[in-house]
Amino acid sequence: MDYAPIGSHYPGGRPINKFPGRTPALPAGPAILRSTCWPARLLPTVYLLMLFHLCSNATLARGQSQDIGWETRPKVVADVELLPRTRIQAWGELQHGVNFSFQRWRTGFLLNRRMKPILKAHRQNIDADKEHHLVFGAGYEYLHTIQNGSLKIENRILTEITPNYLTPGDILITDRNRVEFRWVNGAYDVRYRNKLVAQHIFEFHNFRFAPYGSGELYYDRNHQSWNQSQYGGGVQFPYKKIVRLDTYLLHQNCTSCSQHSVNMLGATLTLYFRQSK
């Protein structure tokens, strides 16, 4: 059972547009790039509909507290730049069930290598990975779960490939593809996760924030099915190059979990440690 898931110059990126009030002209580009314009415009509407559905579920939860669980997820992440285009992330997170018996500690690390910087003029993202077209990652995660009085220990080896696309209108599309090799109380399993995120950065008088919408699907080898899905959205608040607060609300459905439907309210604080120039 698993409840998953901007402001200056960065290595490999380009300087911020000196005229923030002005949108740079877009080149005509190949036909395939122009063809991505219409889905990019539709994405905000799609995610608004997803969030509306999530809010509807939250309203129904008042009378169906046993059907829809609520969970809080505070998390702290340390992002350390080791080499140009190479970083390591380490995290600690507590997942706590509000109206059902569930508590999980999770910690781990992920080593990332970035390829092909995005050269198009745009507002820079505080996350250097989002400034590159392709990111490879590998790492490890440990999970300690207590639910209904039962203890579950899980060890994971993580591998992932994440393409990033900057569409017309400066909407960043991230498509994370992750494979997890899992040992749950000693039993081996493999799971594939695909997470799609659409994000846009806004700036008003040097204040930046980045709303986003996301959707994720899980395929479990042992269950031989797409047994989990989650969707929702949030807002990220970066401060200079050193810290970012990510607040979000997600809804998850799981056909193989004891709690089939869960709403997750989370906040992630990320601290960035960069190389001195």
Side-chain angles (χ1 to χ4, degrees):
M1 174 179 183
D2 185 21
Y3 299 120
I6 306 186
S8 57
H9 187 281
Y10 297 96
R14 295 192 57 180
I16 298 174
N17 184 5
K18 294 181 180 180
F19 307 96
R22 236 181 257 178
T23 302
L26 293 171
I32 188 171
L33 181 59
R34 295 197 299 272
S35 68
T36 62
C37 185
W38 68 268
R41 293 172 181 172
L42 287 177
L43 277 169
T45 302
V46 172
Y47 284 115
L48 282 175
L49 290 174
M50 292 166 62
L51 288 175
F52 174 77
H53 178 64
L54 178 58
C55 292
S56 299
N57 285 337
T59 302
L60 292 173
R62 296 177 184 175
Q64 300 176 351
S65 59
Q66 297 304 315
D67 296 331
I68 300 181
W70 280 89
E71 178 185 317
T72 58
R73 302 178 58 151
K75 182 177 182 179
V76 177
V77 180
D79 186 306
V80 183
E81 194 80 8
L82 299 177
L83 298 168
R85 299 191 183 182
T86 302
R87 75 172 185 184
I88 188 169
Q89 280 189 326
W91 60 84
E93 181 182 40
L94 172 63
Q95 299 173 234
H96 175 71
V98 176
N99 61 343
F100 68 108
S101 174
F102 177 77
Q103 183 167 292
R104 168 179 290 162
W105 289 94
R106 52 196 299 169
T107 184
F109 69 89
L110 190 68
L111 182 67
N112 285 347
R113 176 67 179 176
R114 305 185 287 269
M115 309 290 289
K116 294 186 62 177
I118 297 175
L119 299 178
K120 175 186 172 183
H122 62 284
R123 292 190 178 101
Q124 301 292 304
N125 200 302
I126 190 172
D127 187 345
D129 281 5
K130 302 299 189 298
E131 291 299 314
H132 292 74
H133 286 291
L134 190 62
V135 181
F136 296 91
Y140 166 80
E141 187 172 40
Y142 170 82
L143 299 91
H144 182 280
T145 305
I146 299 176
Q147 186 168 13
N148 298 321
S150 299
L151 173 64
K152 182 172 71 174
I153 301 297
E154 180 175 348
N155 294 276
R156 297 176 181 174
I157 294 177
L158 313 174
T159 60
E160 59 183 46
I161 300 176
T162 307
N164 296 302
Y165 310 94
L166 190 62
T167 71
D170 285 352
I171 296 175
L172 180 67
I173 307 296
T174 298
D175 182 19
R176 189 191 71 183
N177 297 269
R178 172 180 285 183
V179 177
E180 298 176 339
F181 303 92
R182 310 167 65 201
W183 287 265
V184 183
N185 285 343
Y188 178 67
D189 189 14
V190 178
R191 183 169 65 184
Y192 167 72
R193 298 168 56 173
N194 180 257
K195 183 177 183 180
L196 189 67
V197 181
Q199 181 183 66
H200 182 70
I201 300 173
F202 294 92
E203 181 175 6
F204 296 99
H205 303 291
N206 295 323
F207 173 72
R208 290 195 172 199
F209 63 97
Y212 64 91
S214 68
E216 186 170 15
L217 295 174
Y218 298 63
Y219 181 84
D220 190 278
R221 186 200 66 168
N222 286 6
H223 290 92
Q224 296 184 352
S225 66
W226 298 90
N227 64 327
Q228 292 189 50
S229 65
Q230 68 179 32
Y231 56 87
V235 184
Q236 295 178 349
F237 301 94
Y239 177 71
K240 296 183 177 179
K241 300 181 182 181
I242 57 176
V243 67
R244 181 186 69 190
L245 177 64
D246 181 359
T247 59
Y248 62 88
L249 180 64
L250 295 176
H251 178 76
Q252 178 174 279
N253 295 308
C254 177
T255 59
S256 59
C257 302
S258 59
Q259 187 69 41
H260 298 307
S261 184
V262 177
N263 292 329
M264 296 170 284
L265 184 64
T268 301
L269 184 68
T270 303
L271 306 174
Y272 293 90
F273 302 90
R274 306 182 188 277
Q275 291 182 318
S276 58
K277 296 182 179 180

